[in-house]
Amino acid sequence: TIGELKNLKVIDLDFNSLTGTIPENLYELSSLRQLDLNNNQLTGTLSSRVGLLSNLSVIQVDNNKLTGTIPSELGQLKQLAVGFFSYNNFTGLVDEGICELREPEGNLGMLQVDCVGENPEVECQCCSSCRQPDETGGSLRKLVEN
């Protein structure tokens, strides 16, 4: 299984029409530096176990069908430089611990979530950009840089 690949540093499976949930044993890959699963059809939640990926510097799970909250455990990832979570069905507040990873104190230069509109699904006080699907549910997107 994927959890046995202990020295794996990069998973780049974007634009592969993947379905289902993110395998729980993926969070056992302690050497993982980059996790690109964007532009698929993944469902379920992003597990709080993502905080175990202590070497992760890039996580891109945008353009999927993920639900729940953006895990506060991401705030444990001191190497995190890029986090793309937009165009999913996340809700709630981006945790202050994640915000503390933002530059200039931390490494997190890019943090994108769906936090634009009259009633945004995600509240984010520290995102580098907020995105919103268009009103028709189509692929046209609105981007607000912070």
Side-chain angles (χ1 to χ4, degrees):
T1 66
I2 195 165
E4 296 172 358
L5 302 172
K6 299 297 182 192
N7 294 319
L8 190 64
K9 294 187 179 11
V10 175
I11 294 177
D12 189 350
L13 295 172
D14 52 348
F15 295 95
N16 274 288
S17 300
L18 299 176
T19 60
T21 60
I22 299 171
E24 282 295 311
N25 58 2
L26 183 140
Y27 303 110
E28 298 169 13
L29 302 175
S30 58
S31 296
L32 196 64
R33 294 187 181 152
Q34 183 173 334
L35 178 60
D36 289 341
L37 297 172
N38 55 300
N39 294 286
N40 285 294
Q41 299 293 314
L42 296 171
T43 57
T45 62
L46 184 60
S47 172
S48 61
R49 295 184 66 211
V50 71
L52 299 174
L53 300 175
S54 58
N55 289 303
L56 199 66
S57 62
V58 175
I59 181 169
Q60 295 184 83
V61 294
D62 48 315
N63 284 300
N64 279 289
K65 297 178 179 180
L66 298 172
T67 58
T69 60
I70 296 171
S72 61
E73 288 80 1
L74 285 164
Q76 299 169 16
L77 305 180
K78 303 305 180 194
Q79 303 301 314
L80 194 62
V82 174
F84 291 163
F85 304 96
S86 54
Y87 311 134
N88 279 291
N89 297 307
F90 289 119
T91 58
L93 177 68
V94 173
D95 188 75
E96 183 63 31
I98 298 170
C99 290
E100 290 172 4
L101 297 176
R102 293 276 290 139
E103 294 174 333
E105 294 83 19
N107 293 317
L108 187 55
M110 294 293 297
L111 178 59
Q112 294 179 350
V113 302
D114 297 327
C115 53
V116 171
E118 283 186 34
N119 297 304
E121 293 296 318
V122 179
E123 291 183 46
C124 185
Q125 302 300 315
C126 62
C127 287
S128 58
S129 62
C130 291
R131 296 176 182 251
Q132 172 189 23
D134 74 1
E135 291 77 25
T136 65
S139 60
L140 181 62
R141 312 297 180 155
K142 180 177 181 181
L143 170 65
V144 177
E145 299 288 339
N146 292 329

